[in-house]
Structures are given as structure tokens and as C-alpha cells.
Amino acid sequence: MDGEADAVQGTHLQEIRRGSVVLASLIACRTPKYGYGLLTTLADVGIVTEANTLYPLLRRLEGQGLLTSTWRTDDPRPRKYYETTALGTETAERLHTEWLALGAGYDDLRKADA
């Protein structure tokens, strides 16, 4: 594959991953997670993202009312923990349903053209 094809495909893969990180974060934060812990949790299940992508996303989701955050200062190092709100849980369910429907649609398209 040439460099141009790699660049084009890389852009599209990044777009797919960006959307999936929203859903994954909402699901993972059903129990409180701090930023680096969330990065690790996501990476452990194959959803690799960069810190410079995740931290602004967490702030945006919090601003939208999908996550709430609290500082924990009882640990040796203070950490900001994020947790999914009721609206975040509802949104995650809707996104998951849509994700499954899209996946089924893609599978149907691939089978139809085979």
C-alpha cells in the first residue's frame, strides 16, 4: 500500500475510533475512573486512544452532563475521577443500540455484494 492510501485510510480509521471512544468512555465510567486509569482500561480491551484525545473528550462529556467528576485527595496523588451520570447511561444505551444496528447494516451490505 502506498503512502497516500495509508494516509486516507488512517484518517477514516481515526474518525471511527473517535466516535467509539465516546461510547467506550461512557460505558467504562459506570464505575469511577481517573484519566490514566481510563486510558489503561480502554487499552486493555483494544480501544487505544491518546491522552491528548481522551482528556478534552472527558471535559466535553462532563460539560454535556454525561459525566460528573470529583477530586479524590485521599490518595498520595490527587486524582480527578469521572463517573457516568443517568443521562450518560441513557446516552450510552442509545449509542450502543445504534452501533449494533450500524454493524448489522454493514454486514448486510457486505453479504449483498458478495
Side-chain angles (χ1 to χ4, degrees), residues 34-46:
Y34 64 96
Y36 184 76
L38 180 56
L39 281 171
T40 303
T41 296
L42 297 178
D44 287 348
V45 297

Side-chain angles (χ1 to χ4, degrees), residues 5-22:
D6 285 342
V8 169
Q9 290 176 9
T11 297
H12 292 295
L13 288 171
Q14 183 179 21
E15 289 175 12
I16 288 173
R17 287 186 188 121
R18 187 174 295 131
S20 67
V21 171
V22 170

Side-chain angles (χ1 to χ4, degrees), residues 16 98-113:
I16 288 173
E98 183 68 14
W99 183 275
L100 293 175
L102 287 170
Y106 298 143
D107 288 343
D108 288 347
L109 284 171
R110 292 187 63 187
K111 290 174 190 171
D113 288 341

Side-chain angles (χ1 to χ4, degrees), residues 1-110:
M1 188 175 309
D2 63 28
E4 185 177 341
D6 285 342
V8 169
Q9 290 176 9
T11 297
H12 292 295
L13 288 171
Q14 183 179 21
E15 289 175 12
I16 288 173
R17 287 186 188 121
R18 187 174 295 131
S20 67
V21 171
V22 170
L23 176 56
S25 296
L26 291 173
I27 292 170
C29 287
R30 290 176 296 181
T31 58
K33 299 273 190 292
Y34 64 96
Y36 184 76
L38 180 56
L39 281 171
T40 303
T41 296
L42 297 178
D44 287 348
V45 297
I47 303 170
V48 178
T49 189
E50 301 293 326
N52 62 355
T53 299
L54 184 64
Y55 289 107
L57 171 69
L58 292 173
R59 287 190 295 275
R60 182 168 56 91
L61 294 175
E62 183 178 19
Q64 293 170 342
L66 303 176
L67 294 176
T68 189
S69 67
T70 53
W71 280 97
R72 291 194 187 168
T73 56
D74 50 340
D75 294 333
R77 188 171 169 197
R79 292 186 170 132
K80 188 175 188 178
Y81 281 76
Y82 294 90
E83 189 169 6
T84 307
T85 63
L87 177 60
T89 299
E90 178 185 331
T91 301
E93 289 302 316
R94 289 189 70 189
L95 292 174
H96 183 249
T97 298
E98 183 68 14
W99 183 275
L100 293 175
L102 287 170
Y106 298 143
D107 288 343
D108 288 347
L109 284 171
R110 292 187 63 187

